[in-house]
Structures are given as C-alpha cells and as structure tokens.
Amino acid sequence: MIELRHLTYFRTVAETLHFGRAAALLHISQPPLTRQIAALEKELGAQLFDRSKRAIQLTAAGKYFYRDTTEIFKALERAKRNVASSSTGQSGALKVGFMMSSAYNILPAVTRHYSAAYPEVDMRLSEYVPNLLATDIEDEKIDVGIMYRPEDCRRLDSHTIYAEPLLAVLPRGHRLAHKPEISAAELAEDAFISIPRPIAPVVYDLIQQHCQLHGFRPRIVLETNLQQTIVNLVGEGLGVALVPTSMQAMHLDTTVFKPLIGAPTVEVAVIWNRENTNPCIRTFAQTAVEVWGRMQATSRPA
C-alpha cells in the first residue's frame, strides 16, 4: 500500500535527482531510501527513475507521477488549512435567524461585516418571529439568532448587543402628533395594536407593565405577529402602539413616532444553544457586538 511517506521520498528524490542528497534531506540512510523507491515502483507497476546513466532522471511515468503528487500535496495542505480554519470559525456553515425589527438597524451591518471578514463561511439567513426562533435555536435547526433576549434561557447562551427603548407610533392625524414626547398615560383611552404574547412575551409584558405603571391596561383591539404590520395598521388609523425604536426606519408618511417619557427598554441579543459546537457562532457573536459598537461610535456627535 502506498503511504504518504512514500510520496515524500519520491518527490525528494525527483527534486534532487540524487539518492544521497535526498537521503540526507530526509534524515535517513541511502539504502532504505533506495529500497522504498523500488517498492513504490513495484506497487505502481512502472519505473519512475532512469538509473542507466551517471545522473538519474525522471522517466515519462515519473514526470506524470510527480505532477499528480503535486496536486495531492496541495490538497493535503488545503485540507489542513480547512481543518484549522473551521475549528476557529474561519470557515464552515452558519444558519442565522433574525426577527424583522433587527433588519431595520443592526442586521444589515452585521451580515455585511461578517461576510467580508469570513468569506469562507456559508451563511444562510432566515426571518422568524421571536418565539419560533428561540425554539429552532434550542432544536439546533438554527445556529444563532438576533432577537429579543428570552426570559427562559435554560438551554441557551446569549450576549446582549444593545437595549432598545420603546416609543409610541401614532397615526399622523393623532391628537398627540404635534408633541415632541408623550407619556403613556396620555394614550389610556386609545385603542392599541399589539404583538400577541405567545409570539414575543418579553415585549408584550414590557408594554403591559409600562402602561400599568401609568395607571391603565391597554385596550388591545388588534394583534399581529410582525412589528412592521403593527406600524402599517397604525398608519391606517386603526389604533396606536408601542414599538421598538428601530421601527422608525420604516419612514411611513401615515405615521409619526414619539419618544416616551421614562421609556422602557428591551434587550436585543445574540442567542445560541450552549450545546451547539459550531465554532462560527463565536465569530458571529463577536462581530455583532463589534459592529454595534462601531455604529454607536459613528452616531455620537463629535
């Protein structure tokens, strides 16, 4: 059976065209080297070296074999690099889930920077509602997610990227649309549009708690799974809502966004299953935190 050492012996002799010098480079004596080359030729059924002259030469078969072994050693080096890079998250595959509100602020920058820094990682993106994203991360159908930090993280690890204030979104003709900021108490009589609690319990509970802190329970007339749908329905005059600040990026002519006095904040985090050993998770989480830091630095006034 041909072993890698046989190929190394052959290539060293082929490059020096001298058994003595090749043996010295290989740190073996010449007779064993000669026997190994003869055994290789017997295994291949072809003579690799012409020994009939004073200086040995590669035969035609030897030249072809040298060319082909060059490709073998290139493939071996490539395999070694791939193993090293995949173990450190430099290459591989990564399934990323995201909630739509993150697409309005951090997601585009993170994916752009990650793809540039790790071009050999096959990154696949999927949009989710938060509760289903957490479930698929637990089941390892998704490697990592950008989402509201769930209350139950028993099987999950997380790294908070930022805390995002909630603000009020109102129809453009709303009675409070002219005010620079509002109190939630001023919305006590309004109909609310909300995300259902099973879809995003953290956000739902935060809205409920903030309204109760201001003396009322919101009268929810419509529920829908997506924050952008909530904003669109507000623009149609069907109610008001409290949504994450990132939703301002929708820039609808039919709505206005108003800061809330004492606004509560919701944490947006990178989430993954702690039992998932994919090394690309770590590099993605690091990229997300670094990108958010740069975004904040560039947005600060000089």
Side-chain angles (χ1 to χ4, degrees):
M1 180 181 293
I2 297 175
E3 300 176 11
L4 188 62
R5 62 189 176 92
H6 297 138
L7 304 185
T8 301
Y9 293 163
F10 162 73
R11 290 180 62 80
T12 305
V13 175
E15 288 164 3
T16 60
L17 294 177
H18 194 284
F19 278 93
R21 286 196 293 270
L25 289 172
L26 293 166
H27 305 289
I28 60 175
S29 61
Q30 183 173 335
L33 175 60
T34 303
R35 288 197 296 272
Q36 292 291 345
I37 295 298
L40 177 62
E41 290 176 322
K42 183 177 180 180
E43 178 71 22
L44 293 171
Q47 187 175 343
L48 300 174
F49 295 100
D50 181 358
R51 303 171 179 79
S52 62
K53 299 178 182 178
R54 184 165 187 169
I56 66 170
Q57 299 290 329
L58 282 167
T59 63
K63 290 177 182 178
Y64 279 116
F65 193 59
Y66 182 82
R67 183 195 62 191
D68 291 340
T69 58
T70 298
E71 295 305 313
I72 293 172
F73 277 84
K74 283 181 179 178
L76 178 61
E77 287 302 312
R78 184 166 59 251
K80 289 164 62 177
R81 289 196 304 271
N82 289 343
V83 168
S85 63
S86 64
S87 67
T88 58
Q90 301 290 319
S91 66
L94 185 69
K95 291 174 286 187
V96 179
F98 66 95
M99 58 183 188
M100 177 49 69
S101 61
S102 67
Y104 286 99
N105 56 8
I106 191 171
L107 182 73
V110 171
T111 54
R112 184 167 58 250
H113 281 78
Y114 189 79
S115 294
Y118 303 99
E120 295 184 11
V121 174
D122 180 15
M123 180 172 57
R124 304 293 176 90
L125 299 174
S126 300
E127 181 187 346
Y128 275 80
V129 293
N131 67 327
L132 295 181
L133 178 52
T135 298
D136 275 6
I137 291 172
E138 287 184 355
D139 295 341
E140 295 190 36
K141 295 177 182 177
I142 292 290
D143 293 307
V144 65
I146 296 180
M147 60 178 291
Y148 305 129
R149 190 179 185 279
E151 292 176 313
D152 183 2
C153 286
R154 283 173 294 184
R155 289 188 58 198
L156 303 176
D157 275 341
S158 66
H159 193 117
T160 298
I161 309 172
Y162 59 92
E164 184 174 25
L166 298 185
L167 46 67
V169 56
L170 313 172
R172 184 161 291 278
H174 193 273
R175 67 184 185 282
L176 302 175
H178 66 284
K179 298 187 68 172
E181 62 179 4
I182 65 174
S183 167
E186 297 177 273
L187 300 173
E189 301 303 319
D190 285 85
F192 272 71
I193 304 171
S194 175
I195 195 165
R197 189 180 190 280
I199 296 298
V202 171
V203 176
Y204 182 92
D205 290 348
L206 196 63
I207 293 170
Q208 292 287 326
Q209 291 162 10
H210 186 68
C211 291
Q212 290 174 28
L213 183 65
H214 287 80
F216 73 101
R217 292 178 64 88
R219 180 169 57 90
I220 298 173
V221 297
L222 280 172
E223 289 187 331
T224 183
N225 292 349
L226 301 178
Q227 295 287 355
Q228 65 267 38
T229 305
I230 291 174
V231 175
N232 278 309
L233 293 175
V234 169
E236 294 297 322
L238 299 177
V240 300
L242 304 185
V243 297
T245 301
S246 55
M247 300 311 298
Q248 291 183 100
M250 289 185 66
H251 299 300
L252 293 183
D253 293 336
T254 55
T255 61
V256 291
F257 292 89
K258 295 296 174 180
L260 285 171
I261 297 170
T265 59
V266 59
E267 290 185 355
V268 176
V270 183
I271 307 289
W272 65 94
N273 187 325
R274 63 172 57 96
E275 296 177 0
N276 190 331
T277 59
N278 186 341
C280 297
I281 293 172
R282 182 177 64 255
T283 53
F284 184 86
Q286 290 170 345
T287 300
V289 173
E290 291 168 3
V291 166
W292 181 254
R294 293 192 200 113
M295 290 171 66
Q296 292 302 100
T298 56
S299 65
R300 294 190 194 106

